[in-house]
Amino acid sequence: MGETPRLQLGVIGALALSVTSSVAIVICNKALMSNLGFPFATTLTSWHLMVTFCTLHVAQRFNVFETKVVDTKTVMLFGILNGVSIGLLNLSLGFNSIGFYQMTKLAIIPFTVLLETLFLKKQFSQNIKFSLSLLLLGVGIASITDLQLNLVGSIISLLAIATTCVGQILTNTIQKRLNVSSTQLLYQSAPFQAGILFVSGPLVDQCLTKQNVFAYKYSPFVLAFIILSCVISVSVNFSTFLVIGKTSPVTYQVLGHLKTCLVLGFGYTLLHDPFTNRNIIGIFVAMFGMGLYSYFCTHENKKKQINDLSISQIKETTPFLGNKNMGHQDMEEVKKPNKDSLV
């Protein structure tokens, strides 16, 4: 029982770190790509992952965490998939408005629920589905006025949805099945994620933007934002693995829509994006849906814990309860070996 409060504090800390770092990097990257004219999103992502790996490698050298060997093929395939997913999401952010980028992330929740239901046999209650629908409705209302559609951005967004769903489900599944921590899994997979994007990044960026990342004139202001983005990315990558491992892919996406509301608010305040009553109504509906989701999840988890505890106590006390009404003859029978006995 003493571990439960610490577990809850760990989850709250992971959620807070994820929200803070993700909102910060979205605003930073949007300013870098839109306002400063640095469109090389895939290359930037490879730098993010290289900095993340180097930071974790230094931490491992100082014994901040212990490494754990994981099957190379599993980690390699997982790393490549996650690298592609992160690259596509950043490309989506670079080639779409914030609103369309967030609408892309809207589709991740129902797609994740569908995949987990079909392949992992996970059950979602009607209350959970209702709260998720309310959440999606609110975010849709809040961001629909910021939609700017384009063919390249739409294709990238569709690919991002598919790879992100599978990658996040695997992040949760691998941590639990292989009994590795979020830090250990990120440390093992980051080189593969960085490698695939480091090789393909400049080529993809040149194909999409018609510009060469090596020929770009880096002003001190642009360099400062790139360094800031890379520093923030360490927290983003770490908190992503941490939250998904401690909760679930769906909960992580719900948290992502809290970031949506915050990003829209900060976009209005800092970047002077248009903001209407519709945005305000949508944000309130979304926040209400998040509150319901949190309440229903907490209620169902407590109910499950009570049921598990009751079953455990029944298993422990049943033999003793049965012995109270036993006579001497019955006790002798119990002592006799029985072919059907499990003991």
Side-chain angles (χ1 to χ4, degrees), residues 51-63:
V51 171
T52 298
F53 174 72
C54 291
T55 303
L56 290 177
H57 186 68
V58 172
Q60 188 269 334
R61 288 291 184 181
F62 282 94
N63 297 319

Side-chain angles (χ1 to χ4, degrees), residues 223-294:
L223 286 174
F225 266 85
I226 290 175
I227 294 172
L228 177 62
S229 180
C230 289
V231 170
I232 298 173
S233 72
V234 177
S235 293
V236 173
N237 292 327
F238 173 72
S239 63
T240 296
F241 277 62
L242 190 62
V243 169
I244 295 175
K246 286 183 175 293
T247 57
S248 70
V250 174
T251 297
Y252 175 74
Q253 287 303 321
V254 171
L255 183 70
H257 294 305
L258 171 60
K259 303 168 193 175
T260 302
C261 299
L262 294 175
V263 166
L264 289 173
F266 281 118
Y268 170 72
T269 305
L270 301 178
L271 304 178
H272 305 291
D273 290 337
F275 207 73
T276 65
N277 291 332
R278 190 170 187 172
N279 296 124
I280 297 173
I281 293 172
I283 288 174
F284 274 111
V285 173
M287 297 296 283
F288 183 65
M290 290 177 207
L292 285 179
Y293 177 81
S294 177

Side-chain angles (χ1 to χ4, degrees), residues 84-284:
V84 172
S85 168
I86 294 171
L88 288 171
L89 282 173
N90 278 339
L91 281 172
S92 178
L93 177 61
F95 287 91
N96 296 302
S97 64
I98 290 181
F100 189 77
Y101 170 73
Q102 297 300 341
M103 288 296 290
T104 297
K105 296 180 73 175
L106 275 179
I108 294 175
I109 284 184
F111 199 80
T112 301
V113 169
L114 178 64
L115 289 179
E116 288 194 316
T117 302
L118 292 177
F119 297 102
L120 300 181
K121 308 303 180 184
K122 187 173 181 179
Q123 299 296 321
F124 294 87
S125 68
Q126 293 300 321
N127 287 336
I128 293 294
K129 292 178 181 178
F130 171 73
S131 61
L132 289 176
S133 300
L134 198 61
L135 165 65
L136 297 178
L137 175 64
V139 176
I141 294 173
S143 56
I144 194 68
T145 55
D146 192 31
L147 287 179
Q148 296 176 16
L149 302 178
N150 64 84
L151 180 61
V152 174
S154 299
I155 294 173
I156 291 173
S157 294
L158 290 174
L159 293 174
I161 291 168
T163 55
T164 300
C165 289
V166 176
Q168 290 180 359
I169 290 173
L170 287 177
T171 301
N172 180 270
T173 304
I174 290 175
Q175 288 187 54
K176 291 181 177 179
R177 290 188 178 178
L178 300 183
N179 194 27
V180 294
S181 69
S182 56
T183 308
Q184 290 168 335
L185 182 58
L186 179 59
Y187 179 65
Q188 294 284 342
S189 61
F192 297 104
Q193 297 180 53
I196 189 68
L197 293 175
F198 187 75
V199 172
S200 63
L203 297 176
V204 172
D205 286 335
Q206 186 168 12
C207 178
L208 295 174
T209 66
K210 308 302 180 183
Q211 299 181 52
N212 190 337
V213 65
F214 302 109
Y216 182 83
K217 294 182 179 180
Y218 294 86
S219 68
F221 204 51
V222 170
L223 286 174
F225 266 85
I226 290 175
I227 294 172
L228 177 62
S229 180
C230 289
V231 170
I232 298 173
S233 72
V234 177
S235 293
V236 173
N237 292 327
F238 173 72
S239 63
T240 296
F241 277 62
L242 190 62
V243 169
I244 295 175
K246 286 183 175 293
T247 57
S248 70
V250 174
T251 297
Y252 175 74
Q253 287 303 321
V254 171
L255 183 70
H257 294 305
L258 171 60
K259 303 168 193 175
T260 302
C261 299
L262 294 175
V263 166
L264 289 173
F266 281 118
Y268 170 72
T269 305
L270 301 178
L271 304 178
H272 305 291
D273 290 337
F275 207 73
T276 65
N277 291 332
R278 190 170 187 172
N279 296 124
I280 297 173
I281 293 172
I283 288 174
F284 274 111

Side-chain angles (χ1 to χ4, degrees), residues 9-22 239 243 255 258-259:
L9 286 175
V11 172
I12 292 172
L15 296 176
L17 178 63
S18 179
V19 170
T20 305
S21 57
S22 295
S239 63
V243 169
L255 183 70
L258 171 60
K259 303 168 193 175

Side-chain angles (χ1 to χ4, degrees), residues 277-332:
N277 291 332
R278 190 170 187 172
N279 296 124
I280 297 173
I281 293 172
I283 288 174
F284 274 111
V285 173
M287 297 296 283
F288 183 65
M290 290 177 207
L292 285 179
Y293 177 81
S294 177
Y295 171 78
F296 290 139
C297 282
T298 303
H299 179 72
E300 291 181 10
N301 286 336
K302 286 183 178 179
K303 187 176 179 180
K304 182 180 178 182
Q305 290 174 1
I306 292 173
N307 290 338
D308 292 342
L309 182 61
S310 298
I311 293 172
S312 176
Q313 289 176 342
I314 290 173
K315 287 181 179 180
E316 292 176 359
T317 59
T318 296
F320 298 99
L321 291 174
N323 289 343
K324 288 182 180 180
N325 298 322
M326 280 185 178
H328 178 73
Q329 184 177 356
D330 295 327
M331 290 297 292
E332 291 297 328

Side-chain angles (χ1 to χ4, degrees), residues 27-57:
I27 294 174
C28 179
N29 287 351
K30 194 63 181 180
L32 183 62
M33 296 176 190
S34 299
N35 298 352
L36 299 178
F38 184 85
F40 310 107
T42 312
T43 303
L44 179 63
T45 305
S46 70
W47 297 344
H48 287 171
L49 290 163
M50 288 175 62
V51 171
T52 298
F53 174 72
C54 291
T55 303
L56 290 177
H57 186 68

